[in-house]
Amino acid sequence: MPLIAKTPVEKMTGPYPRRWSALLVLCLSLLIVVMANTSLMVAAPDMTMDLGLSSSDLQWIVDAYTVPYAALMLLLGSIGDKYSRRGALIIGLLIFAGGSVMGSLVDETVLVIIARAIMGVGAAVVMPATLSLLVATFPKRERARAITAWTATSGLAIAVGPLVAGWLLEDNSWGSTFLINVPIALLAVVGALVLIPPSKAEGMGRIDFVGGLLSMVSVGSLVYAAIEGPHFGWGAGPVTAAVVAVVGMVAFVAWELRHPQPLLDVRKFKERPFSGSMLAVLFFFFGTFGAIYYSTQFLQFVLGYDALQTGMRLLPLAGAVFAGAAVTGWLTPKLGMKAMVTAGMVIGTAGVFLLTLVDQGSTYNDFLVPMMLLGFAIGLSVSPATDTIMGSFPESELGVGGGANDTSLELGGSLGIAILGSLLGTAYKDKLTDLASGDLPAAALETAKDSVGGGLAVAEQIAKTPSAGPQQAQALIDAVHESFAHSVAQTSLVGGIIMAAGTLIVLAVLPGRRATDKHRQEGSAPAEKEHTKVG
């Protein structure tokens, strides 16, 4: 079906003529949403010092963005489909900018958490809107290329976020890492008004708000439990959240199966191309985000790079993403989606396993190849998986399709940081206990075991104590570095095993090329009935 684009003076048939310029706006919107999390990795030390954050406070600052971000995407994507995808993008960008302004101005932990939550709500509107607008604006023959550019932008943000944050932190406070989002968001709003055509689904019917509420409760509770439980113990809060997540998910499935116009047709999970692609995105970002999370810490705390230097050393990852995107654009039409997705997962798994070789004497070069493999794998596999997920939905449900893809991505990343981060902390604590338990007072040891940053802070205090001196401080620094290197290696082993298992599962679930092509044709067939209006 040729898309219909409406210019200020006339309605034109055929593909929207300014679609590639519109794609730049969509990618710019995506960039700041992903950067909001990656920039926090290098801004966290300054925030911790300035606000006096505990590890729980810092985790809540992270979670306040992640939980609403993951929980709201399905419902907000559906609302955008019904009323206005372009309007949803603009509103989401303005909410995101408002939260960013607040975050740059406040100086209390609770207010920073609230600001991050507001940004998370904005991100939950923006993310599915970018994908739904992309698919609605581009003809089918060009969508794979456009989605490849969208995916490459996600990889670029992983490296650009720490780089921009590091540059700002050279001469400014941590609040500047929030404020940088505002001009970019406003530029994207202007670009959306000028370059992106209006788009919404026609004849969609009433929104399934009950299903939306159940999805919010179940996904939000699951993300909360996954993050809080491993980090702070399975007390009443995380256990209750896990139970609520399970009950909510069962209720959501039961409701959606009986609803005449479900928010998400859960029967789609019986379709192997869709379910296999969803699993691929989840497993992939589980390993990738987890590995980048602790690799960034190693570069800062063990190798001693500052925020800007750390960001610069992540740039090869971004370059590798673009290389992988170029390769997948060339090979996917020849070899099929399954070959590219599984190949990317194998390469990403190899990158994680290479980090098991990290030790106290490791240098940046020991991280360069794993990071490049992970970046190349992102470019190679995520684009065809996302293209398959979006191709599973009729054009009247593009926002829901984008929400489903992004929920899988965000859930995988959250689980990776939570589970692998918890394993990292446990391995570090156990190793440091073995190395330093006889050399430090109990209180100092507890502080040092809390995190690698805490251990280095204790060593700095010891260096200023006349009775101890620099030799004991250096001994503790060596013990902290050795313990953290040990924890990186052990965590990478577990992460690599999970990634390998995920690769085998995805390989078994994804069908061959013919079945996938047939699925894409059937999934997009309803589009021929004029369900979506652009213009």
Side-chain angles (χ1 to χ4, degrees), residues 81-419:
D81 277 340
K82 182 173 178 61
Y83 295 106
S84 173
R85 293 168 180 145
R86 185 178 71 172
L89 177 67
I90 292 170
I91 291 171
L93 287 167
L94 292 174
I95 294 172
F96 188 86
S100 299
V101 170
M102 179 179 175
S104 70
L105 297 176
V106 298
D107 57 1
E108 296 181 21
T109 301
V110 173
L111 295 179
V112 175
I113 290 171
I114 293 173
R116 289 273 296 171
I118 294 172
M119 293 171 64
V121 173
V125 184
V126 170
M127 276 287 275
T130 59
L131 262 181
S132 61
L133 282 166
L134 183 156
V135 177
T137 304
F138 280 82
K140 293 177 186 177
R141 65 181 181 275
E142 295 178 347
R143 285 179 191 168
R145 290 169 56 199
I147 289 176
T148 298
W150 184 91
T151 303
T153 302
S154 297
L156 178 65
I158 293 174
V160 169
L163 179 63
V164 172
W167 172 66
L168 291 170
L169 290 170
E170 289 283 290
D171 300 306
N172 302 281
S173 69
W174 56 264
S176 62
T177 63
F178 283 81
L179 201 58
I180 190 62
N181 296 321
V182 178
I184 301 175
L186 294 179
L187 177 63
V189 168
V190 173
L193 290 170
V194 174
L195 296 171
I196 296 177
S199 170
K200 68 177 182 178
E202 295 293 335
M204 181 176 164
R206 297 170 62 183
I207 295 175
D208 177 16
F209 282 105
V210 173
L213 178 62
L214 290 172
S215 73
M216 287 166 51
V217 170
S218 54
V219 174
S221 298
L222 178 60
V223 173
Y224 173 83
I227 293 172
E228 292 292 306
H231 274 282
F232 305 115
W234 291 96
V239 169
T240 301
V243 172
V244 169
V246 173
V247 174
M249 193 65 68
V250 172
F252 174 75
V253 171
W255 175 265
E256 296 300 281
L257 287 173
R258 298 181 62 182
H259 198 280
Q261 293 179 313
L263 179 72
L264 174 64
D265 186 358
V266 294
R267 296 176 183 86
K268 286 187 182 295
F269 286 96
K270 293 182 179 179
E271 302 169 5
R272 291 170 60 192
F274 174 77
S275 56
S277 296
M278 290 282 285
L279 285 170
V281 171
L282 187 146
F283 276 113
F284 196 83
F285 280 93
F286 174 93
T288 301
F289 271 54
I292 292 172
Y293 173 73
Y294 54 74
S295 296
T296 304
Q297 292 187 56
F298 194 98
L299 295 180
Q300 288 183 283
F301 289 116
V302 178
L303 298 184
Y305 296 123
D306 62 25
L308 179 59
Q309 292 169 334
T310 299
M312 291 179 65
R313 280 160 179 79
L314 289 176
L315 285 178
L317 184 149
V321 171
F322 282 98
V327 171
T328 202
W330 175 54
L331 286 181
T332 300
K334 296 178 172 63
L335 302 179
M337 182 270 293
K338 180 177 183 177
M340 304 312 295
V341 169
T342 53
M345 293 191 70
V346 168
I347 293 171
T349 301
V352 175
F353 270 127
L354 278 178
L355 291 172
T356 62
L357 302 177
V358 169
D359 57 27
Q360 186 180 359
S362 293
T363 66
Y364 168 66
N365 291 334
D366 296 298
F367 288 84
L368 180 59
V369 172
M371 289 296 102
M372 292 184 69
L373 288 176
L374 285 169
F376 187 79
I378 289 173
L380 194 68
S381 63
V382 175
S383 173
T386 297
D387 190 27
T388 300
I389 292 170
M390 294 303 292
S392 301
F393 291 86
E395 297 199 13
S396 59
E397 300 175 11
L398 294 179
V400 176
N405 178 84
D406 299 336
T407 299
S408 184
L409 185 156
E410 187 63 24
L411 182 60
S414 299
L415 291 173
I417 292 175
I419 295 174

